[in-house]
Amino acid sequence: ARLSLGADLPATPAFVMATPSFVTSASRGVLGAIRAKGPSVISVTYGVNFELNKMTVNDDGIPFVGRSDRNNGVTARVMPIDGITPNPSGTLSVAGGGSVLATFLQLEPYYSGRDLFYLTALVPMTDSQKLYYCACIRSNRYRYSYGRQANKTLKELLIPAVEDIPA
């Protein structure tokens, strides 16, 4: 079985994106959730969308994940902002632009820049399974040459179902 991050593939054992009919706040909306015949397994959410040049850099601060392909996507550490909850730890950060589909497992809460999504496992997954999904998503980078971005098409990428991940 294969997951789809959004494509509607009727009459196949594919997973399809749930209707994005709910929003968590004005700036952060859940874009959908990957689901099978049973429960959803991954949700796709747009990050907090900060600009690094308007933040206070601090070596002991919260990681700021941008669209970089290096250092796990972390471009700086910044001071926490009152009232703004960072993206949760244990999620996958995915660049929709810049270094398109640069995908990393984030092990601590983090702020994110423009065009960065995070994927949340809705079923129990090990870090190894999440890292496998990082590799699967990154393997689609060739689809985004010549400046194309994955902002609208991230949900359509096909990745293996959890039970199909090699042990």
Side-chain angles (χ1 to χ4, degrees):
R2 293 179 64 84
L3 296 177
S4 167
L5 289 175
D8 188 9
L9 302 173
T12 68
F15 293 66
V16 293
M17 181 66 73
T19 304
S21 59
F22 44 93
V23 174
T24 57
S25 75
S27 64
R28 294 170 96 174
V30 175
L31 301 177
I34 300 169
R35 60 186 169 89
K37 295 176 184 174
S40 299
V41 296
I42 293 177
S43 68
V44 180
T45 308
Y46 194 75
V48 292
N49 196 23
F50 284 126
E51 294 180 33
L52 180 58
N53 65 353
K54 294 181 180 176
M55 302 185 80
T56 305
V57 175
N58 181 313
D59 290 340
D60 298 321
I62 295 174
F64 181 87
V65 177
R67 298 175 293 173
S68 174
D69 197 22
R70 298 178 182 204
N71 196 30
N72 217 41
V74 177
T75 57
R77 288 188 167 266
V78 297
M79 293 296 295
I81 298 174
D82 291 336
I84 304 293
T85 304
N87 298 329
S89 62
T91 59
L92 305 182
S93 61
V94 182
S99 294
V100 180
L101 297 186
T103 307
F104 301 101
L105 173 59
Q106 301 299 332
L107 297 177
E108 57 184 303
Y110 60 100
Y111 287 134
S112 57
R114 179 174 170 244
D115 297 329
L116 196 101
F117 298 86
Y118 67 90
L119 308 181
T120 306
L122 299 176
V123 297
M125 280 187 209
T126 65
D127 286 350
S128 295
Q129 289 171 316
K130 292 175 186 177
L131 289 170
Y132 186 79
Y133 280 131
C134 287
C136 292
I137 292 168
R138 289 177 71 94
S139 72
N140 284 278
R141 295 179 88 170
Y142 72 93
R143 299 174 189 269
Y144 299 95
S145 59
Y146 305 105
R148 290 186 61 221
Q149 296 191 38
N151 293 346
K152 294 182 180 179
T153 58
L154 174 63
K155 303 178 297 275
E156 298 168 11
L157 296 178
L158 296 177
I159 56 176
V162 176
E163 61 270 10
D164 293 337
I165 295 175

